Amino acid sequence: MERLLIRGGRTLDGDIRISGAKNAALPIMAATLLGDTPSVIGNIPDLHDITTTMELLGRMGVQLTVDERMRVEIDPRSISNCHAPYELVKTMRASILVLGPLLARYGEADVSLPGGCAIGTRPVNLHVEGLRALGAEISVEGGYIRARCQRLKGARLVMDLVTVTGTENLMMAATLAEGRTVIENAAREPEVVDLANCLNAMGARIAGAGTDTLTIDGVERLEGARYDVLPDRIETGTFLIAAAMTGGRVRLKNTAPHLLDSVLAKLREGGAEVDVGEDWISLDMHGARPRAVQVRTAPYPAYPTDMQAQICAMNAVAEGVGMVTETVFENRFMHVQEIQRMGADVRLEGHTAISNGVARLTGAPVMATDLRASASLVLAGLVSEGDTVVDRIYHIDRGYECIEEKLAQLGADIRRVPGETTRESA
């Protein structure tokens, strides 16, 4: 098993290109199952979760072709089964996104209950209840969701909780339902909007994307489409915080500044000079140490839970006392124990991490527990004295495309090493 070896103390400086958003690419790839003809999806990031999704679609008989620019042609016309097996779904929670499209297009779906990051309870009951309200017959047997229907029928769906994947699954299912579906308390995340835009490009009739009420008028059929995935706002935010922590300067290209208002506000509050253009963001700390900030995560457009671990890492080396409160997932502070081993003065009080910033951390062997926690440990390693070895980096490979190469491009001393390599021998 590979690890990342980081020798800290370097100031980041340079330009890099942001990849396509994993959290938009995955549902959009699932949405191609709804089309009667092939789709070509561009700006796909080269990630483990993308590979898993491609393998899942391939297991169903879908034909996939990838070019050198990571454009994926997906042809669902050869689909031979509607089964999403446990051995694939257990590694990636987003696999459940095939449930709605399969059911709406083919009238059946057998999808394993999902896995993914261990960051708290993320029940699928909202997906199941919503599909039942659209007319599906669903049972849960042997760890599988088994769904059947003739043609789904439009309905008014009121979500008990704001759920991104739940909103996406039900929106996709409703595109081929008979009549009108209204989803209230819908997720407003940019990735949900991107999926709606792609579905509309395929011939769907969806209104209200980006608000808490979606209206979907079902159509008889959808066609394939050519569509480019939006830039990854979480990757963007991670590199901005990395530069801020090291007192450096970075210019990020091929990104979308308007999707990061809450993150940019906190970085400016922390002392960063931030400038934006149509598709770029620059940050310059002018060599200064960041100031600690107070953050409360919440659904979009508030500060994102997927950026919580990274801002905790920044607060650990910032001037003053920082507070980060997590309101979305109940078990998303597992990175705190690891960063404490690196010398961070941080304590947990309920769902709040309180940091007294220290000037520098100390390198140590640490273990990633989930995708965004692994990113925070890499950031901490950048500002540590000595060597940091981050283990279990398969988590980070699920959501960051070539993170060590991009950080090295900015001047970081970071490389991938074999799992048996010790800190001393590396």
Side-chain angles (χ1 to χ4, degrees):
M1 188 179 297
E2 293 180 317
R3 304 171 178 179
L4 286 176
L5 171 65
I6 307 158
R7 293 193 168 104
R10 293 196 178 187
T11 299
L12 299 189
D13 191 323
D15 300 6
I16 55 171
R17 178 185 177 278
I18 295 299
S19 302
K22 178 197 79 152
N23 289 340
L26 297 178
I28 285 173
M29 292 174 73
T32 64
L33 294 170
L34 292 161
D36 288 348
T37 55
S39 293
V40 178
I41 309 301
N43 203 32
I44 295 282
D46 187 5
L47 301 170
H48 188 358
D49 276 9
I50 297 295
T51 304
T52 301
T53 300
M54 293 175 66
E55 184 177 354
L56 175 60
L57 295 176
R59 291 274 194 101
M60 297 176 187
V62 175
Q63 295 293 314
L64 299 106
T65 306
V66 184
D67 70 14
E68 69 281 356
R69 296 177 60 188
M70 277 303 287
R71 281 186 304 230
V72 183
E73 181 180 79
I74 305 173
D75 188 349
R77 294 175 296 183
S78 57
I79 194 165
S80 57
N81 69 84
C82 297
H83 181 73
Y86 170 70
E87 64 264 26
L88 290 177
V89 177
K90 71 179 180 180
T91 66
M92 186 184 69
R93 180 177 180 81
S95 301
I96 198 173
L97 288 166
V98 300
L99 177 62
L102 287 175
L103 185 62
R105 178 68 179 84
Y106 300 101
E108 63 177 279
D110 295 329
V111 179
S112 172
L113 291 169
C117 287
I119 57 174
T121 303
R122 299 194 284 186
V124 300
N125 63 299
L126 296 177
H127 303 241
V128 171
E129 291 168 4
L131 291 172
R132 281 178 175 153
L134 294 174
E137 295 181 2
I138 301 180
S139 61
V140 180
E141 306 168 13
Y144 278 79
I145 301 169
R146 304 189 187 277
R148 300 292 185 271
C149 71
Q150 294 298 317
R151 186 182 181 190
L152 297 173
K153 296 187 182 299
R156 177 171 173 261
L157 308 176
V158 181
M159 311 294 280
D160 286 346
L161 299 170
V162 176
T163 161
V164 171
T165 55
T167 299
E168 291 169 339
N169 232 339
L170 297 175
M171 177 171 62
M172 287 188 284
T175 60
L176 293 179
E178 181 182 346
R180 171 170 288 186
T181 299
V182 177
I183 304 176
E184 298 187 22
N185 199 28
R188 301 167 56 189
E189 271 69 9
E191 296 77 15
V192 176
V193 177
D194 209 35
L195 173 61
N197 290 341
C198 179
L199 289 167
N200 284 340
M202 297 172 68
R205 298 173 60 190
I206 301 170
T211 75
D212 60 6
T213 302
L214 293 173
T215 302
I216 306 106
D217 288 312
V219 297
E220 292 288 337
R221 60 194 298 269
L222 296 175
E223 298 284 350
R226 299 184 71 91
Y227 192 83
D228 288 342
V229 173
L230 89 170
D232 194 325
R233 62 193 172 104
I234 305 303
E235 184 193 30
T236 301
T238 301
F239 282 108
L240 290 172
I241 288 179
M245 288 174 65
T246 67
R249 182 208 71 84
V250 69
R251 182 183 173 94
L252 306 181
K253 300 176 287 188
N254 191 46
T255 189
H258 66 282
L259 304 181
L260 287 128
D261 287 343
S262 60
V263 175
L264 298 184
K266 290 301 172 181
L267 286 167
R268 289 184 174 112
E269 186 181 322
E273 178 186 321
V274 179
D275 292 315
V276 302
E278 183 178 350
D279 62 354
W280 58 267
I281 303 174
S282 69
L283 177 144
D284 196 338
M285 291 296 295
H286 299 286
R289 183 180 168 194
R291 296 190 295 268
V293 296
Q294 296 193 15
V295 166
R296 182 180 182 87
T297 68
Y300 189 85
Y303 191 91
T305 180
D306 279 355
M307 287 296 303
Q308 177 257 102
Q310 298 91 312
I311 206 74
C312 280
M314 189 184 88
N315 275 346
V317 295
E319 293 181 354
V321 178
M323 298 178 63
V324 179
T325 300
E326 174 62 49
T327 74
V328 180
F329 294 118
E330 73 278 7
N331 193 27
R332 206 166 199 182
F333 279 121
M334 291 185 287
H335 53 89
V336 168
Q337 183 175 356
E338 295 299 296
I339 207 169
Q340 285 172 336
R341 299 182 64 250
M342 301 173 74
D345 183 0
V346 55
R347 69 184 189 277
L348 290 178
E349 293 187 4
H351 295 295
T352 300
I354 303 171
S355 303
N356 291 292
V358 297
R360 190 167 292 276
L361 301 173
T362 303
V366 291
M367 182 177 67
T369 54
D370 63 72
L371 170 55
R372 305 307 172 183
S374 62
S376 74
L377 298 178
V378 170
L379 300 190
L382 296 174
V383 292
S384 294
E385 292 181 348
D387 293 353
T388 297
V389 178
V390 182
D391 208 347
R392 288 189 176 178
I393 61 169
Y394 57 84
H395 286 295
I396 208 164
D397 290 337
R398 290 183 50 233
Y400 290 91
E401 183 176 33
C402 305
I403 189 170
E404 74 276 16
E405 294 177 17
K406 290 185 176 182
L407 285 171
Q409 192 175 331
L410 296 174
D413 187 345
I414 178 172
R415 59 191 172 95
R416 197 170 289 242
V417 296
E420 68 273 14
T421 302
T422 64
R423 181 179 142 195
E424 290 76 14
S425 63

